[in-house]
mmCIF file with all atom_site columns, all heavy atoms in Angstrom:
data_model
loop_
_atom_site.group_PDB
_atom_site.id
_atom_site.type_symbol
_atom_site.label_atom_id
_atom_site.label_alt_id
_atom_site.label_comp_id
_atom_site.label_asym_id
_atom_site.label_entity_id
_atom_site.label_seq_id
_atom_site.pdbx_PDB_ins_code
_atom_site.Cartn_x
_atom_site.Cartn_y
_atom_site.Cartn_z
_atom_site.occupancy
_atom_site.B_iso_or_equiv
_atom_site.pdbx_formal_charge
_atom_site.auth_seq_id
_atom_site.auth_comp_id
_atom_site.auth_asym_id
_atom_site.auth_atom_id
_atom_site.pdbx_PDB_model_num
ATOM 1   N N   . TYR A 1 228 ? -22.991 6.384  24.450 1.00 0.00 ? 387 TYR A N   1
ATOM 2   C CA  . TYR A 1 228 ? -23.625 6.003  25.703 1.00 0.00 ? 387 TYR A CA  1
ATOM 3   C C   . TYR A 1 228 ? -22.657 5.495  26.768 1.00 0.00 ? 387 TYR A C   1
ATOM 4   O O   . TYR A 1 228 ? -23.070 5.076  27.839 1.00 0.00 ? 387 TYR A O   1
ATOM 5   C CB  . TYR A 1 228 ? -24.735 4.972  25.459 1.00 0.00 ? 387 TYR A CB  1
ATOM 6   C CG  . TYR A 1 228 ? -24.287 3.640  24.908 1.00 0.00 ? 387 TYR A CG  1
ATOM 7   C CD1 . TYR A 1 228 ? -24.018 2.565  25.741 1.00 0.00 ? 387 TYR A CD1 1
ATOM 8   C CD2 . TYR A 1 228 ? -24.177 3.445  23.537 1.00 0.00 ? 387 TYR A CD2 1
ATOM 9   C CE1 . TYR A 1 228 ? -23.644 1.337  25.240 1.00 0.00 ? 387 TYR A CE1 1
ATOM 10  C CE2 . TYR A 1 228 ? -23.804 2.234  23.018 1.00 0.00 ? 387 TYR A CE2 1
ATOM 11  C CZ  . TYR A 1 228 ? -23.543 1.174  23.872 1.00 0.00 ? 387 TYR A CZ  1
ATOM 12  O OH  . TYR A 1 228 ? -23.165 -0.045 23.364 1.00 0.00 ? 387 TYR A OH  1
ATOM 13  N N   . SER A 1 229 ? -21.365 5.510  26.491 1.00 0.00 ? 388 SER A N   1
ATOM 14  C CA  . SER A 1 229 ? -20.369 5.246  27.530 1.00 0.00 ? 388 SER A CA  1
ATOM 15  C C   . SER A 1 229 ? -19.054 5.843  27.042 1.00 0.00 ? 388 SER A C   1
ATOM 16  O O   . SER A 1 229 ? -18.995 6.475  25.991 1.00 0.00 ? 388 SER A O   1
ATOM 17  C CB  . SER A 1 229 ? -20.219 3.739  27.800 1.00 0.00 ? 388 SER A CB  1
ATOM 18  O OG  . SER A 1 229 ? -19.370 3.131  26.845 1.00 0.00 ? 388 SER A OG  1
ATOM 19  N N   . VAL A 1 230 ? -17.997 5.606  27.809 1.00 0.00 ? 389 VAL A N   1
ATOM 20  C CA  . VAL A 1 230 ? -16.719 6.227  27.459 1.00 0.00 ? 389 VAL A CA  1
ATOM 21  C C   . VAL A 1 230 ? -16.194 5.762  26.111 1.00 0.00 ? 389 VAL A C   1
ATOM 22  O O   . VAL A 1 230 ? -15.445 6.471  25.453 1.00 0.00 ? 389 VAL A O   1
ATOM 23  C CB  . VAL A 1 230 ? -15.678 5.955  28.574 1.00 0.00 ? 389 VAL A CB  1
ATOM 24  C CG1 . VAL A 1 230 ? -15.253 4.492  28.589 1.00 0.00 ? 389 VAL A CG1 1
ATOM 25  C CG2 . VAL A 1 230 ? -14.464 6.861  28.420 1.00 0.00 ? 389 VAL A CG2 1
ATOM 26  N N   . ASN A 1 231 ? -16.601 4.560  25.655 1.00 0.00 ? 390 ASN A N   1
ATOM 27  C CA  . ASN A 1 231 ? -16.065 4.063  24.390 1.00 0.00 ? 390 ASN A CA  1
ATOM 28  C C   . ASN A 1 231 ? -17.113 3.421  23.480 1.00 0.00 ? 390 ASN A C   1
ATOM 29  O O   . ASN A 1 231 ? -16.757 2.751  22.519 1.00 0.00 ? 390 ASN A O   1
ATOM 30  C CB  . ASN A 1 231 ? -14.935 3.057  24.650 1.00 0.00 ? 390 ASN A CB  1
ATOM 31  C CG  . ASN A 1 231 ? -15.448 1.727  25.174 1.00 0.00 ? 390 ASN A CG  1
ATOM 32  O OD1 . ASN A 1 231 ? -16.421 1.688  25.936 1.00 0.00 ? 390 ASN A OD1 1
ATOM 33  N ND2 . ASN A 1 231 ? -14.815 0.641  24.789 1.00 0.00 ? 390 ASN A ND2 1
ATOM 34  N N   . LYS A 1 232 ? -18.397 3.634  23.774 1.00 0.00 ? 391 LYS A N   1
ATOM 35  C CA  . LYS A 1 232 ? -19.433 2.984  22.968 1.00 0.00 ? 391 LYS A CA  1
ATOM 36  C C   . LYS A 1 232 ? -20.419 4.006  22.435 1.00 0.00 ? 391 LYS A C   1
ATOM 37  O O   . LYS A 1 232 ? -20.671 5.038  23.048 1.00 0.00 ? 391 LYS A O   1
ATOM 38  C CB  . LYS A 1 232 ? -20.163 1.929  23.797 1.00 0.00 ? 391 LYS A CB  1
ATOM 39  C CG  . LYS A 1 232 ? -19.280 0.737  24.173 1.00 0.00 ? 391 LYS A CG  1
ATOM 40  C CD  . LYS A 1 232 ? -20.068 -0.301 24.943 1.00 0.00 ? 391 LYS A CD  1
ATOM 41  C CE  . LYS A 1 232 ? -19.182 -1.497 25.307 1.00 0.00 ? 391 LYS A CE  1
ATOM 42  N NZ  . LYS A 1 232 ? -19.920 -2.496 26.101 1.00 0.00 ? 391 LYS A NZ  1
ATOM 43  N N   . PHE A 1 233 ? -20.981 3.687  21.277 1.00 0.00 ? 392 PHE A N   1
ATOM 44  C CA  . PHE A 1 233 ? -21.951 4.574  20.658 1.00 0.00 ? 392 PHE A CA  1
ATOM 45  C C   . PHE A 1 233 ? -22.966 3.756  19.882 1.00 0.00 ? 392 PHE A C   1
ATOM 46  O O   . PHE A 1 233 ? -22.759 2.567  19.602 1.00 0.00 ? 392 PHE A O   1
ATOM 47  C CB  . PHE A 1 233 ? -21.272 5.588  19.727 1.00 0.00 ? 392 PHE A CB  1
ATOM 48  C CG  . PHE A 1 233 ? -20.441 4.974  18.634 1.00 0.00 ? 392 PHE A CG  1
ATOM 49  C CD1 . PHE A 1 233 ? -20.994 4.670  17.394 1.00 0.00 ? 392 PHE A CD1 1
ATOM 50  C CD2 . PHE A 1 233 ? -19.095 4.697  18.840 1.00 0.00 ? 392 PHE A CD2 1
ATOM 51  C CE1 . PHE A 1 233 ? -20.227 4.104  16.386 1.00 0.00 ? 392 PHE A CE1 1
ATOM 52  C CE2 . PHE A 1 233 ? -18.318 4.131  17.844 1.00 0.00 ? 392 PHE A CE2 1
ATOM 53  C CZ  . PHE A 1 233 ? -18.884 3.837  16.615 1.00 0.00 ? 392 PHE A CZ  1
ATOM 54  N N   . ALA A 1 234 ? -24.078 4.394  19.572 1.00 0.00 ? 393 ALA A N   1
ATOM 55  C CA  . ALA A 1 234 ? -25.151 3.724  18.829 1.00 0.00 ? 393 ALA A CA  1
ATOM 56  C C   . ALA A 1 234 ? -25.607 4.612  17.684 1.00 0.00 ? 393 ALA A C   1
ATOM 57  O O   . ALA A 1 234 ? -25.588 5.847  17.785 1.00 0.00 ? 393 ALA A O   1
ATOM 58  C CB  . ALA A 1 234 ? -26.320 3.415  19.750 1.00 0.00 ? 393 ALA A CB  1
ATOM 59  N N   . LEU A 1 235 ? -26.009 3.969  16.593 1.00 0.00 ? 394 LEU A N   1
ATOM 60  C CA  . LEU A 1 235 ? -26.604 4.670  15.451 1.00 0.00 ? 394 LEU A CA  1
ATOM 61  C C   . LEU A 1 235 ? -28.036 4.167  15.290 1.00 0.00 ? 394 LEU A C   1
ATOM 62  O O   . LEU A 1 235 ? -28.270 2.956  15.235 1.00 0.00 ? 394 LEU A O   1
ATOM 63  C CB  . LEU A 1 235 ? -25.822 4.392  14.174 1.00 0.00 ? 394 LEU A CB  1
ATOM 64  C CG  . LEU A 1 235 ? -24.334 4.774  14.157 1.00 0.00 ? 394 LEU A CG  1
ATOM 65  C CD1 . LEU A 1 235 ? -23.693 4.292  12.875 1.00 0.00 ? 394 LEU A CD1 1
ATOM 66  C CD2 . LEU A 1 235 ? -24.171 6.267  14.282 1.00 0.00 ? 394 LEU A CD2 1
ATOM 67  N N   . PHE A 1 236 ? -28.990 5.103  15.230 1.00 0.00 ? 395 PHE A N   1
ATOM 68  C CA  . PHE A 1 236 ? -30.380 4.777  14.936 1.00 0.00 ? 395 PHE A CA  1
ATOM 69  C C   . PHE A 1 236 ? -30.635 5.255  13.512 1.00 0.00 ? 395 PHE A C   1
ATOM 70  O O   . PHE A 1 236 ? -30.501 6.444  13.226 1.00 0.00 ? 395 PHE A O   1
ATOM 71  C CB  . PHE A 1 236 ? -31.315 5.496  15.910 1.00 0.00 ? 395 PHE A CB  1
ATOM 72  C CG  . PHE A 1 236 ? -31.108 5.136  17.350 1.00 0.00 ? 395 PHE A CG  1
ATOM 73  C CD1 . PHE A 1 236 ? -30.103 5.734  18.097 1.00 0.00 ? 395 PHE A CD1 1
ATOM 74  C CD2 . PHE A 1 236 ? -31.910 4.194  17.966 1.00 0.00 ? 395 PHE A CD2 1
ATOM 75  C CE1 . PHE A 1 236 ? -29.907 5.405  19.421 1.00 0.00 ? 395 PHE A CE1 1
ATOM 76  C CE2 . PHE A 1 236 ? -31.726 3.856  19.293 1.00 0.00 ? 395 PHE A CE2 1
ATOM 77  C CZ  . PHE A 1 236 ? -30.722 4.464  20.034 1.00 0.00 ? 395 PHE A CZ  1
ATOM 78  N N   . ILE A 1 237 ? -31.013 4.343  12.618 1.00 0.00 ? 396 ILE A N   1
ATOM 79  C CA  . ILE A 1 237 ? -31.047 4.647  11.182 1.00 0.00 ? 396 ILE A CA  1
ATOM 80  C C   . ILE A 1 237 ? -32.420 4.319  10.588 1.00 0.00 ? 396 ILE A C   1
ATOM 81  O O   . ILE A 1 237 ? -32.990 3.254  10.855 1.00 0.00 ? 396 ILE A O   1
ATOM 82  C CB  . ILE A 1 237 ? -29.960 3.837  10.441 1.00 0.00 ? 396 ILE A CB  1
ATOM 83  C CG1 . ILE A 1 237 ? -28.571 4.148  11.031 1.00 0.00 ? 396 ILE A CG1 1
ATOM 84  C CG2 . ILE A 1 237 ? -29.982 4.139  8.952  1.00 0.00 ? 396 ILE A CG2 1
ATOM 85  C CD1 . ILE A 1 237 ? -27.504 3.185  10.581 1.00 0.00 ? 396 ILE A CD1 1
ATOM 86  N N   . GLN A 1 238 ? -32.908 5.246  9.775  1.00 0.00 ? 397 GLN A N   1
ATOM 87  C CA  . GLN A 1 238 ? -34.127 5.027  8.998  1.00 0.00 ? 397 GLN A CA  1
ATOM 88  C C   . GLN A 1 238 ? -33.912 5.567  7.580  1.00 0.00 ? 397 GLN A C   1
ATOM 89  O O   . GLN A 1 238 ? -33.096 6.482  7.384  1.00 0.00 ? 397 GLN A O   1
ATOM 90  C CB  . GLN A 1 238 ? -35.318 5.759  9.635  1.00 0.00 ? 397 GLN A CB  1
ATOM 91  C CG  . GLN A 1 238 ? -35.766 5.186  10.969 1.00 0.00 ? 397 GLN A CG  1
ATOM 92  C CD  . GLN A 1 238 ? -36.861 6.023  11.603 1.00 0.00 ? 397 GLN A CD  1
ATOM 93  O OE1 . GLN A 1 238 ? -37.006 7.209  11.316 1.00 0.00 ? 397 GLN A OE1 1
ATOM 94  N NE2 . GLN A 1 238 ? -37.636 5.403  12.477 1.00 0.00 ? 397 GLN A NE2 1
ATOM 95  N N   . PRO A 1 239 ? -34.602 5.022  6.589  1.00 0.00 ? 398 PRO A N   1
ATOM 96  C CA  . PRO A 1 239 ? -34.477 5.573  5.228  1.00 0.00 ? 398 PRO A CA  1
ATOM 97  C C   . PRO A 1 239 ? -35.110 6.963  5.153  1.00 0.00 ? 398 PRO A C   1
ATOM 98  O O   . PRO A 1 239 ? -36.091 7.238  5.843  1.00 0.00 ? 398 PRO A O   1
ATOM 99  C CB  . PRO A 1 239 ? -35.258 4.570  4.374  1.00 0.00 ? 398 PRO A CB  1
ATOM 100 C CG  . PRO A 1 239 ? -36.232 3.948  5.324  1.00 0.00 ? 398 PRO A CG  1
ATOM 101 C CD  . PRO A 1 239 ? -35.539 3.901  6.662  1.00 0.00 ? 398 PRO A CD  1
ATOM 102 N N   . ASP A 1 240 ? -34.530 7.848  4.351  1.00 0.00 ? 399 ASP A N   1
ATOM 103 C CA  . ASP A 1 240 ? -35.157 9.159  4.160  1.00 0.00 ? 399 ASP A CA  1
ATOM 104 C C   . ASP A 1 240 ? -35.734 9.257  2.752  1.00 0.00 ? 399 ASP A C   1
ATOM 105 O O   . ASP A 1 240 ? -35.768 8.277  2.008  1.00 0.00 ? 399 ASP A O   1
ATOM 106 C CB  . ASP A 1 240 ? -34.169 10.296 4.453  1.00 0.00 ? 399 ASP A CB  1
ATOM 107 C CG  . ASP A 1 240 ? -33.071 10.406 3.397  1.00 0.00 ? 399 ASP A CG  1
ATOM 108 O OD1 . ASP A 1 240 ? -33.078 9.622  2.419  1.00 0.00 ? 399 ASP A OD1 1
ATOM 109 O OD2 . ASP A 1 240 ? -32.220 11.281 3.547  1.00 0.00 ? 399 ASP A OD2 1
ATOM 110 N N   . GLU A 1 241 ? -36.162 10.453 2.387  1.00 0.00 ? 400 GLU A N   1
ATOM 111 C CA  . GLU A 1 241 ? -36.866 10.617 1.105  1.00 0.00 ? 400 GLU A CA  1
ATOM 112 C C   . GLU A 1 241 ? -35.928 10.775 -0.083 1.00 0.00 ? 400 GLU A C   1
ATOM 113 O O   . GLU A 1 241 ? -36.380 10.745 -1.226 1.00 0.00 ? 400 GLU A O   1
ATOM 114 C CB  . GLU A 1 241 ? -37.785 11.847 1.168  1.00 0.00 ? 400 GLU A CB  1
ATOM 115 C CG  . GLU A 1 241 ? -38.813 11.819 2.296  1.00 0.00 ? 400 GLU A CG  1
ATOM 116 C CD  . GLU A 1 241 ? -38.216 12.237 3.637  1.00 0.00 ? 400 GLU A CD  1
ATOM 117 O OE1 . GLU A 1 241 ? -37.130 12.842 3.626  1.00 0.00 ? 400 GLU A OE1 1
ATOM 118 O OE2 . GLU A 1 241 ? -38.816 11.928 4.676  1.00 0.00 ? 400 GLU A OE2 1
ATOM 119 N N   . THR A 1 242 ? -34.602 10.935 0.165  1.00 0.00 ? 401 THR A N   1
ATOM 120 C CA  . THR A 1 242 ? -33.694 11.228 -0.954 1.00 0.00 ? 401 THR A CA  1
ATOM 121 C C   . THR A 1 242 ? -33.309 9.982  -1.748 1.00 0.00 ? 401 THR A C   1
ATOM 122 O O   . THR A 1 242 ? -32.841 10.082 -2.866 1.00 0.00 ? 401 THR A O   1
ATOM 123 C CB  . THR A 1 242 ? -32.408 11.896 -0.442 1.00 0.00 ? 401 THR A CB  1
ATOM 124 O OG1 . THR A 1 242 ? -31.736 10.991 0.450  1.00 0.00 ? 401 THR A OG1 1
ATOM 125 C CG2 . THR A 1 242 ? -32.727 13.177 0.289  1.00 0.00 ? 401 THR A CG2 1
#
Side-chain angles (χ1 to χ4, degrees):
Y387 64 94
S388 82
V389 71
N390 73 325
K391 293 182 180 178
F392 57 90
L394 301 174
F395 299 82
I396 302 167
Q397 291 175 337
D399 70 1
E400 303 81 17
T401 62

